[in-house]
Every structure is written in C-alpha cells, then in structure tokens.
Amino acid sequence: MVQSSVRGKGTRPRAGHAGELGWDDSLYDKNGDAAQDGDDGPPAEPHGQGGQGGGRRGGVEGHPRRRRRVLRWSATVLAVVILGTAGAGYLYYQHLNDNIKKDDLNIGNAKDRAAESKPNAAGQTPLNILLIGSDARDTAENQQLGGARDTFGGPPNGDVQMLVHLSADRTNMSVVSLPRDTLLKIPECTDPKTQHVYPELTRAMVNSSLGRGGPGCTVATWEKLTDIHIDHFIMVDFSGVVSMADAIGGVPVCVDKNIFSHTSSGHGSGLKLKAGTTYVKGTQALQWLRTRYGFEDGSDIARTKAQHQYMSAMVRQLRENATLSNPNKLRKLAETATAALTVDKGLGTVANLYDLSTELKKVPTERITMTTMPYEYAGERVVPKPGDADKLFRLVREDIALDGKDTPKKKTTPAPAAAPTDSDDKIAVQVQNGTRTSESGPVSGRASTVAGLLVGKGFTEAQADSSTVLSEDKTVIRYPSADLKGDAERVAKALGIPTSSVQKSTDVSGVTLVVGADWTSGTTYKVPKEDNKTPTTANVLNGADKKCMTVDPAYTW
C-alpha cells in the first residue's frame, strides 16, 4: 500500500464534504423544476413529505435485513483494489489516483505562512482542511449547470469556503464558513502554471482569491486572515457536486414551507420543494446549495446556513444509512469521488484520501460544530466583526472545541523565548491605541501612556502612533517576520503581557504594540481571564441538529 502523507494520522473531508458546498445565484438556465429521483435513492425519513427530487418511495431497497457489514463510502474507495486480481486491482488503483486533479497548496509568499499547528501533550496534531466550491464555467457541463454564459472560461470564484478543523485528539470537529462577499486583504500570489504574479489587494471580496492562480491563493488568504496553518484543501465544481450527490443516493434536507427559488426577473436557483424532508440529489442538490432567494432573509448568510444543514445531513446520511454492497455501485462511487475533486498534492492519492476519511469519521456527529465567521456589514458587503471573528479564529488555532465540551487539557511546558536582536534601548516599538469598541470610542492618550511606560523601562525607541485608532479586545504585540519575534517577546515580558498575545502579522512593518480594550487605564497590565466560549455571532449549528430551513413567504407556493 502507498504510504500516506496526510499529516497527523490522516484526515477525511470525504469527497462528499467537498460536495456540501454551494455557489452564487447567477441566472440559472434550468426551468426551475426539481430533478426527478433515480431508482436507487435512499428511503424517505418517517416524517418526510417526499417532495420534488424526491423523498424515497417504497423504502425497501435501503433498509432490509442487512447482515453484511455496512460500508460507508469513505471506506469503499479502497475496497475496489481487491475486486479483481492483485495486478488488476493495482492498475485500477492507479487509474483512480490518475482521476484525482492536483494543485499547489499555498501560492502566497512563503514568509507569510502561518506556523504549523503544535501537537498536544500526547503528541497528537490537529488537522485543518479548506473546502472550496468553485463556480468555474470551464466545461460545457459546468456552463449548463451554472448559467451566466458571458463568464464562460473566465476566472473562477471560490464562492463557498469552509475550514474544517479536526481536533488533535480526534474527539471533535469545528467548521468555519466565510461569506463569499467578505472584504479582506488578499496576499500576493504566484500562478504555479504561468508564474504570473498577482499583486496584493488591500480590500477585495474573498471569493476572487480563487481566480488569482488557483486554490493555493485561497489557502494563502485564509492563513493571512486567521493565522491558522492549513494542511490540505479539497475543491469541487458544479458538475462535481451533481455527480457526488447522485453517487451517494441523495441527501435529506428540510424546509418549513413549500419553496420555489425564482424571481420574476429570472433570478434564483430554481429549487422547488414541498414542505418537510426531501432527499435531494444531482442538479437539485446543487440548487439547494446555491439558493439564496427563498431562505430566510435572502442573504448570503442564510445560504451559508443551508449549506451547513446540507453538510450535517450528508454526514448523518453516510454514517447511518449508506450501504454499498453492489460492486458496480461501489466502482461507480469510487470513479465519481476521485474524478470530482481537486486536492493539494499531499492528498493526491486514494490512500491519502482514505486516511483522511478514517480520521474524520472518528468524530461523533454531535461533536461537529458548524459556524460562520462573525461579521458586520460594510455597505452591501461584510467584514470580519472586530473581537468576535478574532476570538473564533483563536479558538480554532488553539484547538479549543467550539461546542464547549473540551476535557481539561494537560499543561504543556512553554517554548523557550526567542532571542532578541539587540538590547532593549535599540528595539523599535510602535504603540497604537486599540481601545475603541462597538459600544464606546477610544480612550484618549493610551498609546502615549504605554509608550512612555516602555521608555521608562529602557525601550527608548518606543513611540506612540497617534494617527491610528483600532479596535482590539485584547492587548496584542505583532511582529512581521521571524527575526523580530524575540524583540516582540522581550517587550511582552517587560510589560507582563503573555506570549500568547505575541503574534506574527504581515500587516505591520516592525514590532507593534496595540493597547486593547482590556487595558484602558493605569500602567500595569492585568492578564484577563480567558474566555473560551464560542461567540454567539458565529451562528452555531450542531452536526446532529435536524432543523428545517425557514422559507421566505414570498417564495412559497
């Protein structure tokens, strides 16, 4: 067997996970009618209504007395290897490997990469996988499914982006979605195929990162935003979603009223379902994932919630109901799963994908927590919500379960401090005022006060930056490159600031101290009690939650 290169012990956002993504709602070329069921879909749930695209009828094929072992799709990918002789199995295994499309993991500047995740006291390491949904109109099938003929062959957008964090001890999983219209700084990226260099953008929609050299630029953008090291990515396009949904037999979704996502001007995904639970598959699954008009307030945030519900339902469906005992179905699923994906080179074999699936399925469904990055509006777009977004990223970065059910972690010996580059009197420090909050303005003079405090402690090169006022919940010290880490830690030690508040950031040009809302008075910094509760603004959804999506009455029928 080929040795896996998946970090930790492997990972697994099965191909199905990548298929749990959705895209923008540009004009949909279909007539809006729901796709019809195939003959081999799953049975309807007891309370389902079987609407369009169909709840399963009959309920016999999926459930009878199965005494043979249940095979989840993630385990079946490798099973094809032993269907024939050793030689034939090996050839087919190589064929499946060749199906998988591969791309570079991170095409930003190497110096901007987030530090690798640290192992816990038991030596276990977390895994971070970025799921990307591409809206590329690069094939006839993707063009037909996506509409918008004028964009055929143009740069793709990454309209769905979800970070899957698998805890080091494999007891829980956190998922963080980023709204597609989030305005962010997008780093410089180099196209690995053409070597074209895309310059840094100071404020652009995050979904445009995919068109700047490929998924590696989206990974670089996430790392710059979150300071979370991303180990792998999995990307799927329109046709991949359709083929995967067909291959697994459909995913149960629920709406509280009949829905038809269609406007008089022709916008909408075309999704048409009856109230209750329906197993969506093929084109109809894509419609669900793209629907904005018709869910709740019609925002991209509501669409993200629908994508989370689809993802949760798919996990439950695969674990509870999916069986593949027919070799032909098994072979079809293996073909579909491998052909649907684009992954980084570290996941580019069936063996590595299988290792990934093995690790992910260790997490109980009820320990999967879906969230959306806390945001606030900036015109018609959104930006990360100060404080709350940073807190959510910190919890993931520090491997803290978002469901609040972590077992107490063993204390680890802190890493030794880095050596400063020079004596205190030669360390340049810029001090900024970050005491502004959403409820109150900045506390006047804090940057000058703390700069003076540093000068009194021997940091004579410390200066206040009175031109900049920021919003930081916690006092933080940032440094731009590894050679200045020791200087930043030396400043932190002098002021009694914990090293956990010393962060690498390419947003600064030198050691920069931002006085946060936790230090609004006095000259002695008091370390605040750590609050590890997931922000309520993260729109938390538990993986075991089976709630129905709320339908806007204007889109019911």
Side-chain angles (χ1 to χ4, degrees):
M1 181 54 65
V2 177
Q3 183 176 357
S4 169
S5 63
V6 178
R7 290 184 65 250
K9 286 189 167 182
T11 38
R12 172 200 78 160
R14 344 165 232 256
H17 269 181
E20 292 141 11
L21 310 178
W23 290 262
D24 67 276
D25 56 340
S26 50
L27 292 178
Y28 198 76
D29 281 353
K30 300 294 183 182
N31 60 13
D33 292 334
Q36 297 301 310
D37 280 340
D39 294 331
D40 57 351
E45 294 187 358
H47 302 292
Q49 305 229 359
Q52 256 89 346
R56 289 310 313 141
R57 312 164 187 89
V60 174
E61 186 178 66
H63 285 304
R65 327 167 231 182
R66 304 182 180 114
R67 294 187 176 154
R68 63 187 67 192
R69 184 178 178 182
V70 173
L71 297 177
R72 296 179 181 85
W73 87 266
S74 58
T76 66
V77 178
L78 281 187
V80 297
V81 178
I82 59 173
L83 290 179
T85 66
Y90 176 77
L91 291 175
Y92 191 64
Y93 172 79
Q94 289 302 112
H95 163 72
L96 293 178
N97 283 341
D98 292 340
N99 274 352
I100 303 170
K101 297 178 287 292
K102 306 159 191 76
D103 215 321
D104 288 3
L105 174 61
N106 188 313
I107 59 174
N109 291 326
K111 66 180 180 64
D112 293 341
R113 289 221 62 184
E116 290 191 10
S117 301
K118 296 178 181 179
N120 62 13
Q124 301 164 305
T125 306
L127 275 168
N128 298 301
I129 308 101
L130 187 64
L131 307 182
I132 304 171
S134 166
D135 74 347
R137 273 78 168 179
D138 54 355
T139 66
E141 185 178 5
N142 280 334
Q143 176 65 75
Q144 183 181 21
L145 291 167
R149 288 187 173 84
D150 57 327
T151 63
F152 184 82
N157 287 320
D159 276 342
V160 173
Q161 299 175 27
M162 295 182 184
L163 178 65
V164 174
H165 171 83
L166 180 63
S167 68
D169 60 8
R170 307 307 192 243
T171 63
N172 66 89
M173 186 191 304
S174 303
V175 179
V176 180
S177 286
L178 206 60
R180 64 167 183 161
D181 56 357
T182 302
L183 296 174
L184 295 175
K185 178 180 287 188
I186 298 181
E188 176 185 291
C189 292
T190 302
D191 189 318
K193 299 179 180 66
T194 66
Q195 299 305 307
H196 175 74
V197 177
Y198 293 87
E200 178 181 270
L201 299 177
T202 57
R203 193 173 173 86
M205 282 175 55
V206 68
N207 66 348
S208 66
S209 61
L210 184 61
R212 294 165 54 82
C217 192
T218 303
V219 170
T221 302
W222 269 80
E223 288 202 2
K224 189 174 187 66
L225 169 68
T226 66
D227 200 28
I228 296 170
H229 183 87
I230 295 174
D231 303 296
H232 302 289
F233 74 79
I234 295 178
M235 183 171 71
V236 68
D237 57 14
F238 292 142
S239 59
V241 170
V242 170
S243 62
M244 279 304 305
D246 282 343
I248 65 173
V251 175
V253 297
C254 181
V255 288
D256 68 346
K257 293 183 283 291
N258 295 350
I259 182 174
F260 185 27
S261 177
H262 184 74
T263 70
S264 58
S265 59
H267 287 84
S269 70
L271 179 70
K272 191 173 185 180
L273 296 176
K274 291 182 179 179
T277 298
T278 301
Y279 279 81
V280 295
K281 57 193 300 189
T283 304
Q284 196 173 41
L286 180 63
Q287 290 175 328
W288 175 276
L289 294 166
R290 300 182 71 197
T291 294
R292 186 178 75 182
Y293 297 106
F295 286 151
E296 298 187 352
D297 60 357
S299 69
D300 192 48
I301 306 303
R303 171 165 45 197
T304 298
K305 185 182 294 186
Q307 292 163 2
H308 286 170
Q309 291 199 7
Y310 182 96
M311 186 173 182
S312 298
M314 175 172 275
V315 171
R316 293 194 302 269
Q317 174 68 9
L318 289 169
R319 291 186 174 187
E320 297 171 7
N321 301 323
T323 59
L324 285 175
S325 57
N326 183 307
N328 288 328
K329 289 183 179 180
L330 190 153
R331 195 175 288 115
K332 177 183 176 183
L333 180 54
E335 291 279 356
T336 301
T338 52
L341 305 178
T342 300
V343 301
D344 65 280
K345 294 168 186 175
L347 278 184
T349 67
V350 170
N352 289 347
L353 287 170
Y354 177 71
D355 284 348
L356 182 59
S357 73
T358 300
E359 292 300 296
L360 287 176
K361 73 180 180 183
K362 293 176 181 178
V363 179
T365 306
E366 62 273 12
R367 293 299 311 278
I368 299 174
T369 305
M370 313 280 183
T371 65
T372 300
M373 177 200 73
Y375 64 91
E376 59 185 24
Y377 280 98
E380 294 183 353
R381 310 301 182 194
V382 299
V383 295
K385 183 177 178 62
D388 284 6
D390 288 337
K391 181 180 180 183
L392 182 66
F393 299 147
R394 176 184 66 80
L395 294 177
V396 174
R397 191 167 55 244
E398 297 179 4
D399 197 26
I400 297 170
L402 298 185
D403 61 5
K405 297 178 181 179
D406 258 337
T407 54
K409 290 183 170 61
K410 296 179 181 179
K411 291 186 177 180
T412 57
T413 303
T421 60
D422 219 324
S423 57
D424 292 353
D425 63 330
K426 294 182 179 179
I427 296 177
V429 186
Q430 186 176 65
V431 184
Q432 298 175 337
N433 189 342
T435 58
R436 180 178 60 193
T437 69
S438 57
E439 290 80 27
S440 61
V443 177
S444 178
R446 288 308 294 161
S448 297
T449 298
V450 176
L453 176 62
L454 278 171
V455 170
K457 290 179 177 290
F459 294 86
T460 54
E461 294 294 315
Q463 293 183 345
D465 175 12
S466 57
S467 65
T468 303
V469 176
L470 304 172
S471 297
E472 292 284 352
D473 284 351
K474 292 171 55 180
T475 297
V476 63
I477 301 174
R478 298 189 171 102
Y479 62 95
S481 54
D483 59 307
L484 292 179
K485 181 179 180 182
D487 291 0
E489 290 182 346
R490 178 73 191 99
V491 173
K493 183 177 180 180
L495 295 175
I497 297 171
T499 55
S500 59
S501 295
V502 178
Q503 303 171 0
K504 182 182 176 183
S505 172
T506 55
D507 291 335
V508 297
S509 57
V511 176
T512 303
L513 166 62
V514 184
V515 184
D518 59 347
W519 196 10
T520 56
S521 63
T523 55
T524 301
Y525 180 73
K526 296 180 180 178
V527 180
K529 186 177 180 180
E530 199 71 75
D531 174 15
N532 289 334
K533 293 183 179 178
T534 302
T536 57
T537 51
N539 294 322
V540 173
L541 175 71
N542 185 273
D545 195 335
K546 297 184 179 181
K547 290 182 180 178
C548 294
M549 281 298 296
T550 301
V551 175
D552 181 343
Y555 291 89
T556 192
W557 56 279

